[in-house]
Amino acid sequence: MNTSASNINYPHRHLLGIEGLTAQEISALLDASKPHVEQNRRADKTLTTLHGRTLINLFFENSTRTRTSFELAGKRLGADVINMAVSTSSIKKGETLIDTAVTLNAMHPDVLVVRHPDSGAVKLLSEKVNCAVINAGDGRHEHPTQALLDALTIRHRKGRIEGLTVAICGDILHSRVARSNIHLLNAMGAHVRVVAPPTLLPAKIENLGVEVFHHMASGLHDCDIIMMLRLQVERMQGSFVPSTREYFRFYGLDAKKMTAAKPDALIMHPGPMNRGVEIDSELADDITRSAICDQVELGVAVRMACLEVLTDNLAKTL
Ligand code: CP
């Protein structure tokens, strides 16, 4: 076991959400990610830390970044990685989520990485298995590894999180990324704003410890970090914005709206991006201002650390 992972303060079997984690636990996971950033830039990227361990990716929703980076993370640590294709599995014959979980559990995996369209489904599954479970996104609830990789990106580009003003902009209502980031950024001492039309904000969002803005100019004023979110149309029933064109006019990030933020403000986006809807294409590609590729890169390191820490915790309980 990698020493940095075996000594870290994360006393949990699973990673189901950021809510409830302490700043120390979050920092511990970020610190354990750091060595992997350099490792992933080397020609030889493979370690044997998780040799003999089995990771199963079980994704009930589409994914590019999360699924690929968990697969790479597992393989770079030497684990056996199975990507279960839900579309060709017995789920299509009516097998339930729980029966699927119990079936996979009987094959003795060490970690299940699960994405599901229903909030709470991953926690339910975690109660039926003996292995560690990582939530790769459940409905509009949480996406903890996204918030961790966002935090690592902010640390890399800004040197700290505490004291920064972060504006999370767009479809907050349907976003698990927003929810996980709000919990993490508050725990780490950032000032968190949400910027969205009233139709795209959950009721009583201010109870999560955020300042609410309905206009980009005021919401972005003097902020350090701008996190843009896409319209999650797959979770929408009915119409939440008049048109994507009008949405871009009022809420899409462009050079003019950016002038409200600090001159060195950093642009972030969890992906997938809808260019010309929530973000101007040129801004998204401007690597002096945009950290979008850094987020993807650091996501592999964060997921390696999470796999190491959880498998180590599991070994201690056996
Ligand atoms: N950010 C994110 O979760 O992207 P994917 O849906 O591609 O995994």
Side-chain angles (χ1 to χ4, degrees), residues 167 169-170 193 195 214-223 225-226 228 244-263 265 267 276-280 283 289:
C169 311
R193 300 174 180 173
V195 190
H214 297 304
H215 298 285
M216 290 290 271
S218 49
L220 298 191
H221 180 69
D222 259 354
C223 74
I225 308 285
I226 306 170
M228 298 307 300
T244 50
R245 195 172 158 166
E246 191 160 346
Y247 181 79
F248 182 73
R249 188 165 151 233
F250 289 102
Y251 291 98
L253 187 66
D254 58 17
K256 187 159 177 251
K257 293 192 190 83
M258 276 290 290
T259 59
K262 286 189 178 157
I267 301 166
V277 179
E278 75 274 6
I279 189 162
D280 171 75
L283 269 187
R289 314 201 76 183

Side-chain angles (χ1 to χ4, degrees), residues 62-67 115 143 146 270-272:
N62 294 342
S63 170
T64 296
R65 283 147 282 267
T66 313
R67 202 178 81 153
R115 172 171 286 189
H143 190 351
Q146 179 68 46

Side-chain angles (χ1 to χ4, degrees), residues 59 61-69 115 136-137 143 146 149 176-177 230 269-272 303:
F59 278 57
E61 272 188 353
N62 294 342
S63 170
T64 296
R65 283 147 282 267
T66 313
R67 202 178 81 153
T68 310
S69 61
R115 172 171 286 189
H143 190 351
Q146 179 68 46
L149 74 88
R176 53 199 177 206
V177 173
R230 77 183 167 90
H269 194 308
R303 286 162 181 142

